[in-house]
Amino acid sequence: MTHFDLLVIGTGSGNMFLDDRFADLSIAIAEEWHFGGTCLNVGCIPTKMFVYPATLAEQAGRGGRYNVDTAFSGVDWTSLQDRIFSRVDAIEAGGRAYRSGDRQPNVTVIPEHVHFTAEKTVRTASGEEVTADRIVIAAGASPILPEVPGLDAARVDTPGYPIVTSNSIMRLPQRPASLAIVGSGVIAMEFAHIFASFGTEVTVIARSPRLLRSIDGEASAEFTRLFTADHNVILGAEATSFRVGEGSVEVTLEPSGRVDEVDVPNSVTAEVVLVAIGREPNTEGLGVAEVGYDVDSEGRLVVDEFQRVYSGAAPVPGVFALGDISSPFQLKHVANHEAHVVGDNLHADVLAGSPGSAALDGLRRTNHHAVPAAVFTSPQVATVGMTEDEARAAGHDVTVKVQNFSDVAYGWAMADDPGIVKVIADRATRRILGAHIVGHEATMVIQPLIQAMAFDQPADEVARGQYWIHPALPEAVENALLGLDFADR
């Protein structure tokens, strides 16, 4: 049995806070997969490096809309992969080498799976037991696989098997001629955009009547309207079986029961199938519930505002968690924030002496207010705060304004391309409750609204108290704010 002062499980955002404050501790880092976690290796970073050229390809094919003679003639898939993963893989290798090498003699890397056998004891896949005074659990989440006939879960994401998840689709040796995507959330929509823009015949299989159904209803409906106009989408369908053949996969479909009078084909056949129905926290494989850690109904570790892990409704001394294994947001920028909080609170705990002895007034609280999210698809989607339904259910006296991109001059420059800005505010307090944007560069256009919510700025002051560049696209945000109906007008 080997003992450490600190054990960190996971090297995504869990690899961020180990700085000079902890140089005197003996530290073990358990990582069975890639250093850098989901975001670096199979998530945010490489997907966006695919999205950008995919968007260029899409725009090239639509030049006629803007009276320009352009065309898309193909993508060099291998060179694109090399450009993206030569950078990603170098960062992964550098992170592993830094933690494993002589520059950090107090750090031991455990390159294998671990699972808990006691509250502060883990066993490695090779059978070694490791104990620690303090533990940080940052083991992330993994793609969910449906339990349907014909799907061999053990073979998913392995070479040659044509059913994949986001963990391997970007590493396919050839771009598939056809792709069926099971799912209609963020991951599904981003990969649908990528592959369709590069010339793959894409079919999206969605159980619900709307795509991106977790966002504001009006924004989701607008996105669904736009996306289905340009892509092959089967709404109200559920995959009930898979049949892997020679060079193709047949997906059998049935109505999901979520759409009235829907005409669902019996099956869809594609060269490759992407399963993108969501992600689940990696708690089950860690055995955290078996040793008494509290886990919620979604499988997440239960933490408090200080990121302390709970057992029996009380914090476990010296045990913290962060990121997708405990956070409902499943967003890298949230995990990074939580990592900073954990680093500060872990340091305070170490200075206090025994695990769990730090005073609460010396601990930092996590801030989950005004958390933004984005979908890098076409059109882009960005959101922050409450949906309209959530705001009304919370009892707010709501005022709402929806502004079209085509209402401002930059929208005219884009040949009246579709897009909306929806702002939801409290009529009495004038505070912005939520904002939802669908359209060109939505992920950037939304930033003034995120800032206004973060700093609790009244909506009308945000609209009138600063310059808005004319004729830039954020004028649509300005006009949406000016269109809100407040109580004393």
Side-chain angles (χ1 to χ4, degrees):
M1 181 179 293
T2 307
H3 182 79
F4 293 91
D5 297 322
L6 172 65
L7 168 64
V8 179
I9 304 174
T11 59
S13 295
N15 196 36
M16 291 181 56
F17 60 85
L18 291 176
D19 51 30
D20 291 343
R21 295 174 295 179
F22 308 104
D24 294 332
L25 301 183
S26 62
I27 301 172
I29 300 177
E31 178 54 78
E32 64 175 306
W33 197 50
H34 305 301
F35 261 64
T38 297
C39 175
L40 172 65
N41 294 284
V42 299
C44 336
I45 291 174
T47 54
K48 264 38 93 185
M49 294 177 77
F50 277 95
V51 162
Y52 186 78
T55 301
L56 293 180
E58 180 188 64
Q59 291 173 339
R62 294 180 175 178
R65 176 174 172 79
Y66 313 101
N67 315 110
V68 178
D69 186 11
T70 62
F72 169 66
S73 58
V75 57
D76 186 338
W77 180 254
T78 300
S79 296
L80 178 61
Q81 287 179 312
D82 288 345
R83 177 171 64 81
I84 292 169
F85 289 112
S86 62
R87 175 171 291 190
V88 167
D89 293 347
I91 296 171
E92 192 278 341
R96 183 180 297 274
Y98 175 67
R99 295 300 189 195
S100 304
D102 296 336
R103 287 178 291 176
Q104 288 202 309
N106 65 315
V107 175
T108 299
V109 173
I110 303 172
E112 54 185 316
H113 179 73
V114 300
H115 70 275
F116 282 87
T117 58
E119 191 172 76
K120 292 189 178 179
T121 304
V122 299
R123 180 176 291 126
T124 70
S126 58
E128 180 186 0
E129 285 209 328
V130 175
T131 61
D133 295 325
R134 294 175 173 86
I135 300 176
V136 175
I137 306 172
S142 297
I144 298 171
L145 295 177
E147 295 182 3
V148 297
L151 177 65
D152 187 343
R155 296 185 64 194
V156 170
D157 291 326
T158 62
Y161 192 66
I163 303 176
V164 300
T165 72
S166 55
N167 281 352
S168 69
I169 190 169
M170 290 178 284
R171 302 267 188 171
L172 290 175
Q174 291 89 33
R175 177 181 60 82
S178 56
L179 174 69
I181 300 178
V182 180
S184 58
V186 175
I187 295 171
M189 292 301 97
E190 291 191 347
F191 282 116
H193 167 52
I194 290 169
F195 282 93
S197 297
F198 288 149
T200 296
E201 181 184 343
V202 174
T203 301
V204 175
I205 301 165
R207 291 187 299 173
S208 297
R210 292 186 284 108
L211 305 172
L212 298 178
R213 62 188 180 277
S214 64
I215 66 173
D216 178 83
E218 194 166 2
S220 171
E222 176 70 0
F223 175 81
T224 301
R225 181 182 71 82
L226 298 174
F227 196 86
T228 54
D230 292 328
H231 299 82
N232 183 22
V233 178
I234 305 172
L235 297 172
E238 188 162 17
T240 56
S241 70
F242 297 87
R243 188 175 68 84
V244 177
E246 187 66 33
S248 67
V249 182
E250 182 182 21
V251 185
T252 303
L253 304 179
E254 291 182 359
S256 65
R258 300 186 182 188
V259 179
D260 294 334
E261 299 180 5
V262 63
D263 185 17
V264 173
N266 292 328
S267 65
V268 169
T269 300
E271 186 178 324
V272 173
V273 172
L274 169 65
V275 177
I277 59 174
R279 295 173 62 83
E280 58 188 354
N282 290 325
T283 46
E284 186 173 341
L286 284 178
V288 290
E290 287 78 0
V291 298
Y293 290 163
D294 294 346
V295 176
D296 70 14
S297 60
E298 301 295 325
R300 292 185 292 265
L301 278 169
V302 175
V303 297
D304 62 13
E305 66 269 35
F306 307 110
Q307 297 301 131
R308 299 181 300 177
V309 172
Y310 270 49
S311 175
V316 182
V319 180
F320 299 85
L322 63 93
D324 292 357
I325 202 159
S326 58
S327 172
F329 293 101
Q330 293 196 354
L331 295 166
K332 176 63 171 173
H333 42 277
V334 174
N336 286 351
H337 167 68
E338 292 173 354
H340 291 302
V341 172
V342 167
D344 289 349
N345 291 344
L346 182 65
H347 184 233
D349 196 63
V350 170
L351 291 178
S354 60
S357 61
L360 289 184
D361 60 5
L363 297 181
R364 178 180 171 186
R365 286 176 166 82
T366 304
N367 176 11
H368 286 152
H369 173 62
V371 174
V375 191
F376 291 83
T377 183
S378 180
Q380 283 190 3
V381 178
T383 182
V384 61
M386 295 180 178
T387 67
E388 182 177 350
D389 289 344
E390 289 170 344
R392 295 188 186 280
H396 291 280
D397 183 8
V398 168
T399 175
V400 177
K401 176 62 178 179
V402 177
Q403 193 75 45
N404 293 319
F405 279 19
S406 58
D407 292 335
V408 299
Y410 199 91
W412 308 346
M414 296 190 300
D416 295 326
D417 273 359
I420 61 169
V421 176
K422 179 175 182 177
V423 181
I424 304 152
D426 186 284
R427 196 183 303 273
T429 67
R430 302 172 181 267
R431 265 50 181 186
I432 300 169
L433 302 173
H436 311 275
I437 303 181
V438 178
H440 180 70
E441 298 294 4
T443 57
M444 289 192 276
V445 175
I446 199 171
Q447 194 61 44
L449 296 166
I450 300 169
Q451 181 170 321
M453 290 183 65
F455 292 103
D456 198 31
Q457 297 170 321
D460 51 344
E461 290 184 13
V462 175
R464 294 185 169 87
Q466 62 180 317
Y467 282 106
W468 296 82
I469 294 175
H470 177 76
L473 193 53
E475 282 188 317
V477 174
E478 176 193 20
N479 289 346
L481 293 170
L482 289 171
L484 295 169
D485 181 21
F486 292 118
D488 57 357
R489 286 188 182 174

